[in-house]
Amino acid sequence: MSQVAQSRGRLGFITGFLVLPLALYLTFVIWPYIQTFGYSFTDWSGQSPTFRFVGVENYTALMKDEVFRGALWHNLLLLVFVPTITILLSLFFAFMLNAGGRGGAGGVKGVRGSAFYKVVYFFPQVLSLAILAVLFGAVYRSDEGGLLNGFLTKIGIVDAAHPVEWLNEPDLVLWCLLMVVVWHGVGFYLVLFSAAMQSVPKDIYEAALLDGAGRAQTFFKVTLPLLWDSVQTSAVYLGIAAMDMFVLVSTMTSGQFGGGPDHHSEVMATVLMRNFLYFGKSGYACAMGVVMLILTMILSLITLRATRRERIEF
Amino acid sequence: MGSTSAHGENSTGDGLGRRDLIKRSAALGLIAVPTMSFLSACASGGEEAPEGGAPKGAVTKENPFGVAKGSKMDVVVFKGGFGDDYAKAWEAAFDKKWGTTSTHLGTQEITAKLQPRFNGGNPPDVVDDSGAQQIKIDVLAKGGQLADLTQVLDSPSLDDPSKKVRDVLIAGTVEQGTQGGKFVALNYVYTVFGLWYSGKLFKEKGWSEPKTWDEFLAVCTKAKEAGIGGLAHQGKFPYYINVVIMDLIAKKGGLDAMKAIDNLEPNAFEGNPAALAAVEAVYEVVEKGLLMPGTNGLTHTESQTAWNQYKAAFIPSGSWLENEQLKQTPEDFDMKFLPVPVLADSKLPFEAIRAGAGEPFIVPEKAANKAGGLEFLRSMLSREWSTLFAQQANSLTVVKDGVDPNVKLRPGTQSAVGALKGAGTNTFNYLYPDWYSEMDAEIQNASNELMAKRIQPKEWIKRAQAAVDKAAKTPNAKNNKRS
């Protein structure tokens, strides 16, 4: 068989496998997107098959919507902090688990009990976000019954008559939520980075050690560059999580679909849902959906571009 | 190909390496995840289902809507504080009488279950559209999805055919269920709103029931001295503290003050001395530290349970409170209802209470068995079904004297009934939460800020008025007027 014929045969083979998933994808992913785009130009209430075409009215209203703009700002804040904090922490822990131990003769190993820690770190990932919301609801509870308040009261930092209303404090609420996401994510990315570190040949580390590199140097000069692929992918994943945040915000904070107090923890998804289901402004909500889609796509592209580097082969 | 190392940028003209490709497609695919769930939620179902074909029986005096024998009934009820046993009992009674076959769904997820059906044009025949996930009535009405229930009102009552159904309803029921001038929702459960306390705690401490706001503050102060909170409220849901604020306004300023708010008048809050006095009164509780510590961030169950554990003297709520807290309430708690105490020079007396119908039952305009749905509502307004409800759900209905006197009520409900009798014709009810969801949400937000001491009463008034002015600009404002 000639080269060309061979590659054609393979093409047909691959196409055969792809038709069905592609059709499903088009029907259940792409088609709703297109519909949403259509609805975003109407005054659809969400509870009725009839609606009126209103042009770009929804989009102009969106520009002026302070609540939505605030939500966008919160999403951007999260977008910066969620990936940064999670990745830094996981990298640190992963490095300690894999190469942080006081090495014996030329050996590179993790701190004592690292295998055990790896399992423990992974626990939070097993819990669903809904369970996390309940769990951290109890941690952040605004009276003495809350874990944090109870603890702080016991050690005398907080006055029992004036407990900290964690999720009801405009300046704290977003950071409290951020904490939960980080707590949830660190374990997973730790395991991911661990796996990547373990695929780095030991001899590289040994060479670095022989050359007299300290732990920090080993990390920045050897480990991080070799892990760059994984870090990049993680950043994209975490960025996407930061653009969502719906489950946590809507269940943990006050207000219809969350966002309280007074819109201080609002994210785009909660504003969208409130308009969609509660205020009966579904067309408007669809416009938000479209904006969210576009923003997320732009951000993903930027992340992929910005983190592109020359690959180091080993 | 085939080697594990990817073709990097330095390899010759092969474009993307395999790993790159997988990584990028994964990343792009994942963009879909957060947005997709919302976007696809936006997509509506099919087009309008063909109408007609609804089974129709002969219209007689006994069968005013023409229910067809052997037809199917599709009933969906919110399974919340009242459970759904009452509905099952009703359906059994209905099937027996009309020879229908009922399908029953009791759920908390009204929106999720019903939205696609409304959009697809195949809604159920009767819906109890309640709970946190209810589909807002104003939204449904605007979309033309609700059957006009005036025909039920004008049909003969089952207990006494010489009377019309509208004559056996407690005052305000019709008004409450009217949207844009059309009666579309039968709010079935009669609810009173106010403050609640433990008769046992008050007896123990020797406190008496406060009738004025000053007396109320005095009890709260004594409670604080005794080491417990004065007022608890369901901070995560400012809906509840709004009961206190709004009731104070209505009592101080009279029914005109209430109507001004519902009718979105430009001086509903701003320039209304009654409103300012009411908000200042509530703020006094905050300022004097008479709130239960931490109550601003608690959910309704958390705060109510703390109150049941004697951690606070008062809590605002509607008369569903007793049923909701059944498991957490100590046996000897002796739950008692208290109308919101009055400010000096109030136009309404202390006994006046906010009372209204809740738990809206609707018949969708496009219901397959609309006649059955209407007949179902007519049956609900019979004494037999009303008693069934009171027994199964521990609550009163909008049917006048609709509960058999032999049914024994729990202490909280009992005292609510007493308060209702004491109020006589002095009952009032706000309609803006049903008419203007967005305005309601904004006022709730302002109240949350007020209770957390982040804004002052004047600022609250400003924000509430802004919410009113904004609502006045919506097209809906033209259709809703009360007098």
Side-chain angles (χ1 to χ4, degrees):
Chain A
M1 230 191 274
S2 76
Q3 279 280 341
V4 180
Q6 200 182 10
S7 72
R8 272 214 194 120
R10 196 156 52 186
L11 193 71
F13 182 71
I14 294 174
T15 317
F17 271 108
L18 282 181
V19 165
L20 184 65
L22 190 70
L24 286 173
Y25 189 75
L26 284 175
T27 320
F28 292 108
V29 180
I30 303 298
W31 178 236
Y33 272 85
I34 295 170
Q35 276 191 305
T36 303
F37 198 70
Y39 283 125
S40 73
F41 295 107
T42 68
D43 65 350
W44 183 40
S45 75
Q47 313 292 350
S48 151
T50 55
F51 42 74
R52 202 164 50 84
F53 183 77
V54 295
V56 292
E57 203 177 89
N58 286 327
Y59 289 94
T60 45
L62 202 53
M63 301 279 190
K64 287 183 232 145
D65 190 335
E66 270 174 44
V67 175
F68 187 75
R69 284 208 308 236
L72 180 63
W73 171 241
H74 293 151
N75 272 123
L76 291 178
L77 273 184
L78 291 166
L79 188 73
V80 171
F81 286 101
V82 169
T84 318
I85 300 177
T86 314
I87 290 177
L88 285 181
L89 279 177
S90 345
L91 270 177
F92 173 72
F93 287 132
F95 184 69
M96 292 312 266
L97 289 185
N98 288 290
R102 293 183 184 281
V108 178
K109 59 177 181 127
V111 292
R112 206 180 306 161
S114 57
F116 172 71
Y117 291 138
K118 253 180 239 176
V119 177
V120 173
Y121 274 125
F122 199 69
F123 279 161
Q125 189 65 34
V126 180
L127 301 175
S128 79
L129 279 175
I131 295 172
L132 276 191
V134 175
L135 206 69
F136 275 88
V139 171
Y140 291 132
R141 205 182 137 137
S142 62
D143 64 357
E144 246 188 306
L147 185 71
L148 266 177
N149 271 321
F151 176 71
L152 294 175
T153 314
K154 277 268 160 13
I155 61 171
I157 293 180
V158 165
D159 174 12
H162 301 97
V164 186
E165 291 165 6
W166 298 100
L167 296 173
N168 193 34
E169 295 284 351
D171 299 335
L172 290 180
V173 60
L174 208 58
W175 305 109
C176 289
L177 294 167
L178 178 87
M179 258 295 303
V180 183
V181 188
V182 170
W183 188 84
H184 181 237
V186 164
F188 177 79
Y189 291 100
L190 176 146
V191 173
L192 185 80
F193 294 150
S194 281
M197 280 178 193
Q198 272 157 8
S199 72
V200 176
K202 279 246 157 80
D203 1 350
I204 299 184
Y205 281 119
E206 282 166 8
L209 279 177
L210 283 178
D211 288 344
R215 247 186 243 174
Q217 260 179 318
T218 321
F219 177 78
F220 285 109
K221 298 266 165 68
V222 179
T223 314
L224 192 57
L226 291 178
L227 251 57
W228 196 247
D229 265 4
S230 314
V231 172
Q232 181 185 351
T233 313
S234 310
V236 175
Y237 272 75
L238 283 162
I240 284 163
M243 289 301 279
D244 179 0
M245 290 293 288
F246 177 73
V247 176
L248 283 185
V249 177
S250 65
T251 43
M252 292 180 69
T253 60
S254 62
Q256 278 292 333
F257 296 104
D262 205 24
H263 306 303
H264 280 100
S265 67
E266 209 80 78
V267 290
M268 287 187 286
T270 53
V271 185
L272 188 159
M273 283 304 264
R274 193 176 312 117
N275 280 283
F276 186 59
L277 288 179
Y278 193 69
F279 295 160
K281 295 173 163 181
S282 300
Y284 189 46
C286 285
M288 292 184 192
V290 171
V291 170
M292 267 174 87
L293 170 73
I294 293 169
L295 282 176
T296 324
M297 274 176 118
I298 293 174
L299 286 165
S300 302
L301 287 178
I302 292 175
T303 319
L304 284 171
R305 287 265 156 190
T307 51
R308 189 156 69 187
R309 283 193 179 187
E310 200 156 318
R311 184 181 320 285
I312 298 160
E313 306 234 357
F314 49 81
Chain B
M1 299 293 251
S3 79
T4 42
S5 72
H7 293 244
E9 271 81 5
N10 49 358
S11 73
T12 47
D14 253 348
L16 295 170
R18 188 164 25 139
R19 258 210 291 181
D20 249 345
L21 186 68
I22 291 170
K23 198 174 62 193
R24 284 194 191 167
S25 53
L28 282 172
L30 269 163
I31 301 167
V33 176
T35 37
M36 188 176 69
S37 46
F38 300 108
L39 289 177
S40 54
C42 293
S44 78
E47 298 307 306
E48 260 178 87
E51 274 192 69
K56 200 82 170 133
V59 174
T60 62
K61 226 174 185 179
E62 283 72 43
N63 188 4
F65 310 114
V67 179
K69 291 245 183 251
S71 58
K72 289 196 174 70
M73 282 291 292
D74 186 347
V75 183
V76 177
V77 297
F78 168 66
K79 191 177 177 179
F82 303 120
D84 66 345
D85 290 342
Y86 69 87
K88 286 181 189 153
W90 285 351
E91 286 154 25
F94 196 81
D95 287 350
K96 206 170 148 206
K97 182 167 176 194
W98 296 101
T100 49
T101 330
S102 294
T103 47
H104 171 91
L105 173 69
T107 179
Q108 303 232 346
E109 300 167 331
I110 295 287
T111 294
K113 294 260 159 53
L114 293 187
Q115 192 181 26
R117 299 190 58 184
F118 273 111
N119 278 318
N122 58 336
D125 302 318
V126 177
V127 182
D128 166 16
D129 182 20
S130 296
Q133 298 182 45
Q134 72 163 177
I135 306 180
K136 297 296 287 183
I137 300 285
D138 54 345
V139 175
L140 279 176
K142 250 191 300 177
Q145 293 280 13
L146 300 178
D148 190 346
L149 301 178
T150 316
Q151 41 192 329
V152 177
L153 295 180
D154 291 329
S155 63
S157 155
L158 277 169
D159 297 318
D160 178 359
S162 67
K163 275 189 187 164
K164 281 182 176 176
V165 165
R166 74 164 74 233
D167 301 326
V168 304
L169 296 180
I170 282 173
T173 312
V174 176
E175 205 170 27
Q176 180 90 25
T178 300
Q179 294 274 351
K182 206 164 89 172
F183 180 62
V184 290
L186 171 66
N187 289 279
Y188 190 65
V189 182
Y190 200 58
T191 312
V192 295
F193 298 83
L195 293 163
W196 299 78
Y197 64 91
S198 155
K200 185 195 170 203
L201 180 73
F202 271 54
K203 208 174 199 177
E204 244 175 51
K205 305 278 182 191
W207 302 335
S208 53
E209 195 177 274
K211 291 204 156 86
T212 67
W213 195 253
D214 287 337
E215 287 170 24
F216 171 76
L217 290 176
V219 175
C220 287
T221 312
K222 278 184 212 155
K224 194 186 176 189
E225 280 157 11
I228 64 175
L231 177 70
H233 76 112
Q234 298 80 337
K236 204 178 164 194
F237 306 107
Y239 164 88
Y240 293 87
I241 196 65
N242 266 1
V243 169
V244 183
I245 296 175
M246 291 296 173
D247 282 15
L248 277 172
I249 295 177
K251 283 186 161 185
K252 171 94 180 168
L255 296 180
D256 288 338
M258 170 187 78
K259 287 173 192 161
I261 296 171
D262 285 342
N263 287 335
L264 309 176
E265 278 168 22
N267 58 353
F269 292 104
E270 202 123 46
N272 176 358
L276 186 62
V279 181
E280 275 172 346
V282 172
Y283 191 64
E284 211 176 333
V285 179
V286 182
E287 230 177 3
K288 290 188 170 160
L290 300 176
L291 284 181
M292 180 176 84
T295 192
N296 287 330
L298 296 182
T299 65
H300 61 304
T301 32
E302 286 167 352
S303 57
Q304 285 160 193
T305 303
W307 168 75
N308 274 149
Q309 293 162 349
Y310 306 106
K311 286 183 184 154
F314 301 100
I315 196 161
S317 186
S319 46
W320 61 80
L321 177 70
E322 185 165 44
N323 213 50
E324 192 170 50
Q325 291 298 111
L326 224 44
K327 287 200 188 101
Q328 286 79 27
T329 310
E331 204 51 55
D332 57 352
F333 190 78
D334 192 19
M335 202 178 283
K336 286 264 193 283
F337 174 81
L338 174 75
V340 173
V342 285
L343 298 163
D345 305 320
S346 279
K347 289 204 176 130
L348 297 185
F350 160 73
E351 286 78 16
I353 43 179
R354 184 195 302 209
E359 206 81 1
F361 281 76
I362 54 173
V363 176
E365 180 65 29
K366 297 202 178 75
N369 190 358
K370 198 166 145 191
L374 295 172
E375 182 61 34
F376 198 88
L377 292 199
R378 187 167 82 111
S379 314
M380 282 166 58
L381 298 171
S382 68
R383 198 153 194 219
E384 182 199 339
W385 284 32
S386 168
T387 306
L388 265 176
F389 184 82
Q391 280 168 337
Q392 304 273 6
N394 256 321
S395 251
L396 299 174
T397 73
V398 290
V399 184
K400 256 185 224 162
D401 303 318
V403 182
D404 209 289
N406 299 326
V407 177
K408 193 165 160 28
L409 300 168
R410 300 186 62 85
T413 313
Q414 187 101 48
S415 84
V417 172
L420 199 53
K421 280 212 179 98
T425 54
N426 274 319
T427 61
F428 58 92
N429 198 9
Y430 282 95
L431 300 178
Y432 77 89
D434 289 327
W435 283 351
Y436 310 108
S437 314
E438 205 167 343
M439 163 180 153
D440 185 29
E442 276 160 19
I443 298 181
Q444 286 189 27
N445 262 348
S447 300
N448 185 28
E449 296 300 286
L450 182 84
M451 298 315 281
K453 237 178 173 174
R454 287 192 288 266
I455 62 172
Q456 303 286 311
K458 287 213 172 78
E459 176 68 16
W460 188 94
I461 295 281
K462 221 191 223 160
R463 289 177 61 159
Q465 186 64 48
V468 168
D469 296 342
K470 196 169 148 198
K473 286 197 198 108
T474 60
N476 232 12
K478 282 197 288 291
N479 303 327
N480 297 321
K481 271 280 169 298
R482 72 182 294 181
S483 48

